[in-house]
C-alpha cells in the first residue's frame, strides 16, 4: 500500500520543477500524477489517467456487486422454476448467472463511471479551473514526511492539500 500526497502548484513551470525534484528524490515518474486544465500545455509531465481522474473503479465495483446479486436472484428463479417435472433443481445455474451478472454489471457501470469525475478530486476542481496544477504523489508510508519536507523546502509556492491514507495498487 502507498499513501497519496496531494499538492497544488500555481503554474506549469512550478509543476515541471517539482517533477524534476521528485525524480531526483527517486520518486518514479509513474507514481506522479498531474491534473490541470485541458487548455494548459502539460507536455513533459506525467498526466493522471482515467483511473485517477474518474470514478470508473468505484462504479465497476458497485456494478459488479449489483450484477452478482441480480444474477444470483435470476439464477435462483431459473434453477427453482425451470426444471421439468421430476428433475432436481440445477443449482449450478445460480453460480453461472451470478458470474454473468457480475461481469455484465462491472462492464456496464464502468462505461458510466468513466464519464463521472472522481469524488476524491472534487475539492480541487475550482483550483484547477483557475489554472493551478494538482500533483498526486504515491509514496511508501515511510517516505511521506521526507517528501513533504523536501517539497515544502524547495517549493514554497506549492500548497500541501493532504494525504490519503491508503491507495491500492489499482489505481
Amino acid at each position: 500500500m502507498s499513501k497519496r500526497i496531494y499538492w497544488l502548484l500555481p503554474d506549469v513551470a512550478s509543476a515541471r520543477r517539482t517533477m524534476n525534484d521528485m525524480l531526483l528524490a527517486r520518486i518514479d515518474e509513474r507514481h506522479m500524477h498531474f491534473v490541470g486544465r485541458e487548455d494548459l500545455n502539460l507536455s513533459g509531465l506525467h498526466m493522471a489517467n482515467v483511473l485517477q481522474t474518474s470514478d470508473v473503479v468505484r462504479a465497476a465495483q458497485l456494478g459488479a456487486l449489483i450484477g452478482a446479486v441480480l444474477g444470483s436472484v435470476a439464477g435462483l428463479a431459473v434453477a427453482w422454476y425451470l426444471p421439468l417435472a421430476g428433475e432436481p433443481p440445477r443449482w449450478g445455474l445460480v453460480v453461472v448467472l451470478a458470474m454473468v451478472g457480475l461481469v455484465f454489471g462491472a462492464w456496464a457501470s464502468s462505461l458510466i463511471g468513466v464519464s463521472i469525475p472522481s469524488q476524491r478530486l472534487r475539492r480541487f476542481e475550482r483550483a484547477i479551473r483557475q489554472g493551478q496544477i494538482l500533483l498526486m504523489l504515491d509514496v511508501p508510508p515511510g517516505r511521506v514526511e521526507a517528501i513533504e519536507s523536501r517539497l515544502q523546502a524547495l517549493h514554497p509556492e506549492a500548497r500541501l492539500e493532504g494525504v490519503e491514507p491508503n491507495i491500492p495498487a489499482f489505481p
Side-chain angles (χ1 to χ4, degrees):
M1 290 295 231
S2 293
K3 291 187 181 251
R4 178 166 286 171
I5 306 171
Y6 293 100
W7 283 87
L8 273 175
L9 305 161
D11 54 32
V12 177
S14 176
R16 286 194 174 104
R17 287 191 310 272
T18 303
M19 183 172 141
N20 290 335
D21 288 334
M22 289 300 95
L23 289 171
L24 290 173
R26 299 184 184 257
I27 300 294
D28 192 29
E29 188 175 336
R30 64 189 169 101
H31 296 294
M32 292 183 252
H33 315 287
F34 290 90
V35 180
R37 276 192 337 226
E38 290 184 21
D39 64 330
L40 294 176
N41 180 10
L42 299 176
S43 61
L45 298 174
H46 187 258
M47 298 299 298
N49 62 29
V50 72
L51 295 176
Q52 284 113 17
T53 60
S54 71
D55 263 352
V56 67
V57 173
R58 192 175 72 77
Q61 291 170 339
L62 185 59
L65 176 67
I66 292 170
V69 168
L70 291 176
S72 298
V73 169
L76 285 169
V78 169
W80 188 259
Y81 293 111
L82 189 64
L84 302 174
E87 289 185 31
R90 298 188 179 168
W91 299 114
L93 285 172
V94 176
V95 175
V96 170
L97 287 177
M99 295 305 291
V100 168
L102 182 140
V103 170
F104 180 76
W107 172 74
S109 57
S110 68
L111 292 177
I112 297 167
V114 85
S115 65
I116 299 171
S118 173
Q119 288 182 354
R120 291 177 174 163
L121 302 184
R122 284 212 176 114
R123 63 186 167 136
F124 305 113
E125 285 177 352
R126 192 169 98 211
I128 291 170
R129 277 195 312 269
Q130 293 173 349
Q132 295 183 42
I133 311 296
L134 174 66
L135 168 59
M136 298 179 284
L137 287 172
D138 297 336
V139 296
R143 293 198 62 199
V144 170
E145 288 182 28
I147 296 298
E148 285 178 358
S149 297
R150 181 180 178 100
L151 278 171
Q152 287 172 344
L154 295 174
H155 298 279
E157 77 279 7
R159 196 170 73 234
L160 175 64
E161 291 292 329
V163 177
E164 197 166 320
N166 295 312
I167 297 299
F170 179 75

